[in-house]
Amino acid sequence: MRVILFGPPGVGKGTQAKLLTEEFDSVHISTGDLLREAVKNQTPLGVKIRSFMDLGNLVPDEVMIGLIEQTLDSDRARRSFILDGFPRTVAQAKALDEMFIRMGLRWMASSVSEWIMRRSCGV
């Protein structure tokens, strides 16, 4: 199973990812965790990421795309994953679509908009 969780901050993507990961024995791929891990391990990509973070800049799309591509190509994500926090931009979504095509995957979007509104706006 491969799941992508979309939504603005605070809607519970991380919470749902943890529950789904436990229920379906999947890998939780959180972009925030990946960024912190790459920086901590001082990988070549991590050094590049740190240079943007140290300046207070967002990590550019091409770097985020490389990080996700590297992760999706890993053994740990081959069977099943929950993707949390990616894509955030149109360029990232297009790149993810291309990655999925190479992997032989298709994606389907679904949302519960009323629930999302209540959760994010307190309505």
Side-chain angles (χ1 to χ4, degrees):
M1 175 177 70
R2 294 154 184 111
V3 174
I4 306 170
L5 298 174
F6 294 99
V11 296
K13 295 180 304 293
T15 301
Q16 294 305 313
K18 286 177 186 172
L19 294 171
L20 289 167
T21 297
E22 291 170 9
E23 180 69 25
F24 297 103
D25 192 30
S26 291
V27 175
H28 178 198
I29 301 173
S30 162
T31 53
D33 291 347
L34 290 176
L35 290 169
R36 286 184 288 278
E37 183 179 326
V39 169
K40 178 183 159 196
N41 294 334
Q42 297 181 348
T43 66
L45 201 51
V47 171
K48 193 173 196 177
I49 290 166
R50 181 170 196 126
S51 70
F52 294 108
M53 296 170 104
D54 284 349
L55 295 172
N57 296 328
L58 293 174
V59 177
D61 284 340
E62 63 271 7
V63 176
M64 289 303 303
I65 290 164
L67 185 61
I68 293 297
E69 192 162 30
Q70 177 181 308
T71 303
L72 292 181
D73 284 342
S74 71
D75 287 337
R76 71 180 190 150
R78 285 231 167 87
R79 185 181 57 79
S80 179
F81 61 79
I82 312 294
L83 188 53
D84 169 14
F86 186 92
R88 292 191 185 270
T89 67
V90 172
Q92 291 176 7
K94 287 179 179 179
L96 185 61
D97 192 41
E98 291 171 13
M99 285 179 231
F100 277 13
I101 289 169
R102 284 194 305 272
M103 296 168 72
L105 301 174
R106 299 198 185 278
W107 52 329
M108 175 185 76
S110 176
S111 75
V112 184
S113 58
E114 183 179 323
W115 178 83
I116 292 170
M117 290 301 290
R118 278 198 315 264
R119 170 91 183 203
S120 61
C121 300
V123 178

